[in-house]
Amino acid sequence: MLDASLKEQLKAYLERVTLPIEIRASLDASDSAREMRELLQEVSALSPLISYGEADDKVRRPSFTLNRAGADMGIRFAAIPMGHEFSSLVLALLQVGGHPPKLEADVIEQIQSLQGEFRFEVFMSLSCQNCPEVVQSLNLMAVLNPAIRVETVDGALFQAEVEQRQIMAVPSIFLNGEPFGQGRMGVEQILAKIDTGAAQRDAAKLAQKAPYEVLIVGGGPAGAAAAVYTARKGIRTGVLAERFGGQTLDTLGIENFISVRHTEGPQFAAALEQHVRDYEVDVMTAQRAVSLLPAEAAGGLISVGLANGATLRSRSVILATGARWREVNVPGEKEYRNRGVAYCPHCDGPLFKGKRVAVIGGGNSGVEAAIDLAGIVSHVTLLEFADALRADAVLVDKLKSLPNVEIHTRAQTSEITGDGSKVNGLRYVDRATQEAHHVELEGVFVQIGLVPNTEWLKGVVELSKHGEIIVDAKGQTSVPGVFGAGDVTTVPFKQIVIAAGDGAKAGLSAFDHLIRTPAPVRG
């Protein structure tokens, strides 16, 4: 299972284990069970503190638990955690083995003080780059609090259960048998949902913070670069973000960030956050900005209101809120989101193995999605509104060579149909003939670009007709002291490297603004 290089890396990590670990597997006669046994035996052989054994428990099979000797840690994998989930296995081993978690002391205390019974199930796929954060966050919480139990389930191994529960997107999280959430979640987001008093306590704590000299809204490449540049100037910097990393968290491979030949989105996002935390930056995650009040209307300091009711103040603000997947906005899309309508082919593609799907969008993203899906599903129908596909020629040629792909240009999607519980088809109109068509299928992947996250800024800063923040050459918006950076602005070419440079520019512009603007007099 593990090649020599990976074994050496894992062995080095396992040297950090200080407490005995017991791996107990519940197996059946399947090929997956044999693979699981092989993996776990190889892992246990790498450390004298890890033992392997098998149990005859009435649980999902194949599966295994990780426990400290003599203690039930509440962690089970109904999966062979390779691919993106190998890091989840490594971290679970380290944490069960006594390696201290990388969490703030107040967050650890909050987890340990949770009362009740929390039995989580996480359905994931090994190709999902969004799933590991959920798995790792819940496993860590289980290590810290015996009331929390987590079972990570590979949907590909338990396809019948996936069908029975109508799971059509990963990660899908269940708490005590009931749906809890879908999509990427970190510790802070999970705590906010299960600790009912957390939002109020968080708001009170945030409201007491002293004003910043620069407050950055957004934690993607633009926001991270801005934070590094302003912190290096020695000015009080805060970063406010729903999740650190932004869109890069949803990016599978990154091969065009200069000097980095190849990385993956989650690793890139983690490096962004670590670089920012190397400086004295106040990082506030799991927070969403909902309002902006210019300085002249807020007593000399710009005010940013948060969803939890708190207000932060700053002498300058950099808006780097990025963009999100654009929706088709046709009947059925919202109704069947995560029930057949998906936006991440890498994450959710394996759930449609052997089924029929459609991809809406003929740009690079859409064509790449169709190529990837063609290797998993039985048939792909690609729909493009324009007269021709807009992707690079090499991608188009590859797509056309695939036998299970059908391409329709001049196709206007009019409806996503379903049976009330899940998608069963798609309707489109041929724009040349006006003839209506219905395609029977089980999944629809939307790949038609991005929309800027600026709804909360309407009427405050000047926006383009596409909803982007209008900025000048220095990143200045229409509001004095408020700057914009990255994909949320009118700067062309939405690329990671451009967003990072844009953030650096905005950070320097904010610093220039501060040294040329007198600080407000405080009474």
Side-chain angles (χ1 to χ4, degrees), residues 268-516:
F268 186 84
L272 287 179
E273 183 171 4
Q274 185 56 57
H275 196 174
V276 171
R277 290 185 183 274
D278 285 344
Y279 296 91
E280 292 185 9
V281 176
D282 188 4
V283 178
M284 298 160 281
T285 55
Q287 303 295 339
R288 180 167 59 89
V290 296
S291 65
L292 178 74
L293 196 61
E296 63 268 20
L301 290 170
I302 302 164
S303 293
V304 176
L306 309 185
N308 62 15
T311 298
L312 299 175
R313 297 171 299 156
S314 182
R315 288 183 61 197
S316 64
V317 168
I318 296 174
L319 302 172
T321 48
R324 62 187 184 277
W325 293 114
R326 185 180 298 277
E327 298 179 347
V328 190
N329 290 319
V330 298
E333 180 179 19
K334 285 185 170 60
E335 293 87 337
Y336 293 106
R337 183 166 188 163
N338 295 326
R339 293 192 292 163
V341 176
Y343 300 83
C344 180
H346 303 297
C347 302
D348 300 329
L351 297 177
F352 294 86
K353 182 178 181 179
K355 298 181 180 180
R356 301 160 299 177
V357 303
V359 174
I360 302 176
N364 280 349
S365 295
V367 172
E368 287 176 351
I371 292 170
D372 289 345
L373 289 167
I376 302 171
V377 305
S378 65
H379 188 270
V380 179
T381 301
L382 185 140
L383 304 175
E384 165 56 37
F385 182 85
D387 293 344
L389 300 181
R390 297 168 287 108
D392 296 342
V394 64
L395 294 175
V396 173
D397 290 343
K398 173 64 176 176
L399 183 70
K400 291 181 176 179
S401 73
L402 301 175
N404 61 335
V405 174
E406 187 175 350
I407 301 169
H408 296 284
T409 56
R410 297 176 295 187
Q412 181 174 358
T413 304
S414 57
E415 182 183 4
I416 296 170
T417 63
D419 61 7
S421 62
K422 60 182 182 299
V423 166
N424 64 15
L426 177 147
R427 300 188 195 279
Y428 73 94
V429 175
D430 186 320
R431 295 173 50 242
T433 64
Q434 296 304 306
E435 184 178 354
H437 299 270
H438 181 262
V439 182
E440 293 185 357
L441 41 75
E442 289 76 39
V444 177
F445 289 82
V446 180
Q447 300 282 288
I448 56 173
L450 303 168
V451 60
N453 295 314
T454 55
E455 288 83 359
W456 63 290
L457 296 169
K458 289 180 179 177
V460 182
V461 299
E462 187 179 358
L463 305 177
S464 72
K465 65 180 181 180
H466 300 297
E468 300 166 316
I469 299 171
I470 297 175
V471 293
D472 65 13
K474 292 186 175 181
Q476 173 69 57
T477 72
S478 59
V479 177
V482 177
F483 301 84
D487 288 4
V488 74
T489 72
T490 50
V491 171
F493 309 120
K494 312 305 185 185
Q495 298 289 314
I496 295 172
V497 69
I498 293 175
D502 222 29
K505 179 176 63 178
L508 294 173
S509 295
F511 175 71
D512 184 67
H513 166 80
L514 290 172
I515 62 177
R516 298 174 187 275

Side-chain angles (χ1 to χ4, degrees), residues 9 17 27 87 128 134 141 157 167 198 214 236 238 260 272-273 353 360 420 450 516:
Q9 293 178 48
V17 170
L27 305 175
S87 59
C128 168
V134 176
M141 292 172 68
L157 288 186
I167 297 169
V214 176
R236 177 167 161 74
V260 180
L272 287 179
E273 183 171 4
K353 182 178 181 179
I360 302 176
L450 303 168
R516 298 174 187 275

Side-chain angles (χ1 to χ4, degrees), residues 106-116 118 144-145 195 201:
D106 57 341
V107 178
I108 293 175
E109 182 181 356
Q110 184 182 358
I111 294 169
Q112 292 174 330
S113 64
L114 289 171
Q115 300 293 318
F118 305 95
L144 294 171
N145 188 327
D195 186 353
R201 294 195 302 271

